[in-house]
Amino acid sequence: MLNRRSFLRYASVAGAGLALPRINPDFFISPANAAITKPMTFLSAENITGNWDPTSHTTLSQSTIQGFVMGYLTRAPMREDDPAKMNMDLATELNLLDAHRLEIKLRQGVTFHDGKPFKAEDVKATFEYGAQPDRPAQWYPGSNETFEVTTPDDYTVIVDTTKGGYGAHMFYFLAAYLPIMSATDVADGPKGKLTQRLNGTGPFKFVEQRGNDTVMEASPGYYKGAPTVPGVVYSFVGDATTRMLSLMNGQADVIERLEPEQLETLEGNEDIKISQLLSVENKYLWFRCSKAPFDNPLVRKAAAHAIDRDLIMEVMGSAGHASSNYVSPIKFGYTDLENYPKYDPEECQRLLAEAGYPGGQGLPELEYITSTGFYPKTKEYGEVITALLQEQGFPVTLNVMEVAAWNERLYDRPGGGPGHMIDCGWASGSPEPDLILRTHFHSSSKRICGIVDPEIDAALDAERNAPSLEARKEALQTGIMPLLADKVPALSLFTSVMIHAMRAEYDGLFIYSDGLFDASQVTSA
């Protein structure tokens, strides 16, 4: 179990030099005892979109399903003791040829579930398609016009970033995050096969969607050998109590996003195992920066100083850990920021007066949107935040929504997103910090908060264009990260601790720091 001491100890290590991340040539979870004879039933806290194109969404539940079906060049366990460690999957080598060229050597003998052999053309097609500016997932450091992908042979890929002016090392950590699609599927276009089903190289095949149930079966042709569990049924159940009761009565095998009090209930049950994992996900209060009053950084900063994050941590209990940055402590470049906004009512009042709203006078009615049933304790700590803001003169109303309605209101849009503040976490299974920073705070993306700030854009471009990982770490820690803490387009409240529970007989289930799974070696204890 994580504690404050181990958390702070890791935070200091993460801020130290990470010259060349270590890559394991292989990664296997040792099986134990007998095979599981029935499909594994996983109860999810979030709904899916219905569009299976991996580039079409940023929905964590759908990414989790992709983790069962799709293959990745590398995988990143992202554990506290070695956050930059990478394990090979569809790639066998990553070689930085020079500042602008990354060579990727690919595994041979792998096939997609539709029978197509996996080759370099699939990596090229995935990179070029996923980097198109209109793709919602926006995985890449620049559009497909900023890099070139060549395939010297069927099992070699070279990524050249000369056109974009940034280093090829930007693709190093991203290799662990990109599900590789079939070139044939990509050629069918964004309204073709990609939207209708998943077709990957992973341990499980997509079979069908039955209402809220995603049905997958073991792939006998998986390159590491057929999984020992015959299939996975991934089901959306929006109520946390229902998920827990389903696990206790044997209707479910694995559940996610436990509330802290549920953890206390289940810890004494010998039929159930608990997993607690410092995650890659931070929880944020996103300000709608594209409309008043949060288009004014003084008002955003005043709101940040009105919030006592220690009180939020008391509400979160075992489901959260304190952090003072816009990325998780297991992201590359993390450091505790000295200028991160702290609870300071006097400073809040000073900033409100400077912004022209003394004591909150003249502020419009503000809507704060959050969800229930997905993230632990959102309603409870949302009520704390609302009360703290009201105490300083912010006329805030909390709007608690079920997950699908909240998801529909999440993103920025012309004129500003719904409400004035919205609660959301962001998890990406890679040490790459720009999967958070550039995605949300560069004007080319501005996913939730809608920020357009030339100074932030310049700082993000500077860290992206750094000539090496070491130079980039310095640019992150002394440039963009403290700048964000000063301009506060969002307030990172804490880092999530992922809490899963499973039937005690399940051995060999590996959980990644973003909530994805490797179930290929699951066996019965």
Side-chain angles (χ1 to χ4, degrees), residues 160-486:
D160 189 328
T161 62
T162 302
K163 291 192 297 183
Y166 53 86
H169 59 75
M170 290 296 300
F171 283 83
Y172 188 91
F173 290 132
L174 282 173
Y177 189 62
L178 312 177
I180 301 300
M181 296 170 279
S182 160
T184 303
D185 291 346
V186 171
D188 202 32
K191 296 183 180 180
K193 296 176 183 176
L194 286 174
T195 68
Q196 299 161 13
R197 79 322 182 228
L198 289 172
N199 176 33
T201 59
F204 295 91
K205 293 181 179 182
F206 176 84
V207 177
E208 63 176 330
Q209 186 69 30
R210 300 175 188 160
N212 285 330
D213 299 341
T214 305
V215 181
M216 295 164 272
E217 65 182 17
S219 173
Y222 181 50
Y223 78 87
K224 290 184 180 180
T228 50
V229 60
V232 177
V233 178
Y234 188 93
S235 302
F236 168 52
V237 177
D239 181 69
T241 300
T242 302
R243 294 195 297 270
M244 182 184 73
L245 293 175
S246 297
L247 178 69
M248 294 177 72
N249 66 25
Q251 291 180 311
D253 300 308
V254 184
I255 63 173
E256 65 174 355
R257 301 279 186 182
L258 269 70
E259 302 277 352
E261 62 270 18
Q262 293 178 325
L263 176 63
E264 296 173 7
T265 299
L266 295 177
E267 278 183 326
N269 190 326
E270 63 183 14
D271 295 326
I272 292 170
K273 294 192 295 191
I274 303 292
S275 168
Q276 291 177 268
L277 184 65
L278 180 66
S279 81
V280 73
E281 175 186 83
N282 280 17
K283 284 301 301 295
Y284 304 86
L285 178 65
W286 302 92
F287 298 113
R288 299 297 197 190
C289 302
S290 54
K291 65 182 183 182
F294 291 121
D295 56 348
N296 185 337
L298 295 173
V299 180
R300 300 195 298 264
K301 202 164 185 178
H305 283 299
I307 297 170
D308 187 344
R309 291 187 294 129
D310 289 341
L311 290 180
I312 297 173
M313 293 308 304
E314 290 180 20
V315 173
M316 291 306 301
S318 55
H321 258 291
S323 57
S324 296
N325 201 318
Y326 286 86
V327 297
S328 164
I330 50 176
K331 283 280 191 181
F332 175 75
Y334 178 89
T335 185
D336 278 318
L337 295 171
E338 292 184 5
N339 70 326
Y340 201 79
K342 297 177 174 62
Y343 178 57
D344 188 340
E346 291 184 4
E347 181 66 3
C348 170
Q349 291 301 316
R350 188 192 70 78
L351 289 164
L352 279 176
E354 185 179 347
Y357 302 106
Q361 296 177 27
L363 285 171
E365 292 294 321
L366 303 172
E367 182 185 18
Y368 167 20
I369 299 173
T370 192
S371 62
T372 185
F374 179 29
Y375 301 110
K377 298 296 180 186
T378 46
K379 178 178 181 291
E380 291 82 354
Y381 75 70
E383 290 171 345
V384 171
I385 291 172
T386 300
L388 289 167
L389 289 168
Q390 289 173 345
E391 191 175 83
Q392 299 303 319
F394 289 87
V396 178
T397 300
L398 179 65
N399 187 356
V400 182
M401 296 183 165
E402 57 87 20
V403 175
W406 162 81
N407 249 326
E408 194 279 326
R409 290 162 174 80
L410 182 58
Y411 295 112
D412 184 54
R413 57 203 69 181
H420 301 86
M421 298 170 285
I422 190 164
D423 176 274
C424 183
W426 204 262
S428 52
S430 163
E432 175 52 56
D434 270 5
L435 288 168
I436 304 292
L437 303 180
R438 196 171 189 88
T439 295
H440 288 291
F441 305 125
H442 197 277
S443 62
S444 63
S445 178
K446 55 187 176 64
R447 187 64 53 84
I448 296 175
C449 63
I451 188 76
V452 176
D453 188 307
E455 192 176 359
I456 291 177
D457 284 358
L460 283 165
D461 289 343
E463 62 89 1
R464 182 194 67 173
N465 297 343
S468 67
L469 285 175
E470 280 300 309
R472 188 173 177 225
K473 178 165 69 70
E474 182 178 358
L476 286 163
Q477 295 180 347
T478 64
I480 183 58
M481 288 174 172
L483 181 63
L484 290 172
D486 185 59

Side-chain angles (χ1 to χ4, degrees), residues 75-108:
R75 300 305 299 266
M78 295 184 69
R79 295 304 196 246
E80 289 183 83
D81 59 347
D82 194 358
K85 176 181 174 182
M86 305 249 274
N87 300 309
M88 291 298 169
D89 188 9
L90 295 178
T92 58
E93 297 178 34
L94 297 181
N95 302 309
L96 198 60
L97 301 179
D98 54 46
H100 293 290
R101 292 187 304 149
L102 178 69
E103 179 188 64
I104 306 169
K105 292 291 187 179
L106 302 178
R107 192 177 300 277
Q108 301 185 30

Side-chain angles (χ1 to χ4, degrees), residues 23-101:
I23 296 187
N24 274 5
D26 226 331
F27 178 52
F28 294 94
I29 304 299
S30 298
N33 304 325
I36 298 289
T37 58
K38 66 180 183 66
M40 180 177 74
T41 298
F42 182 104
L43 300 190
S44 166
E46 186 182 26
N47 62 307
I48 62 173
T49 69
N51 183 342
W52 291 109
D53 182 344
T55 73
S56 71
H57 66 89
T58 57
T59 305
L60 186 57
S61 59
Q62 211 151 312
S63 296
T64 304
I65 295 169
Q66 288 169 193
F68 289 110
V69 175
M70 306 299 287
Y72 300 76
L73 293 174
T74 62
R75 300 305 299 266
M78 295 184 69
R79 295 304 196 246
E80 289 183 83
D81 59 347
D82 194 358
K85 176 181 174 182
M86 305 249 274
N87 300 309
M88 291 298 169
D89 188 9
L90 295 178
T92 58
E93 297 178 34
L94 297 181
N95 302 309
L96 198 60
L97 301 179
D98 54 46
H100 293 290
R101 292 187 304 149

Side-chain angles (χ1 to χ4, degrees), residues 127-141:
F127 280 24
E128 292 176 346
Y129 175 62
Q132 291 179 11
D134 64 345
R135 304 317 302 150
Q138 294 198 1
W139 294 324
Y140 296 87

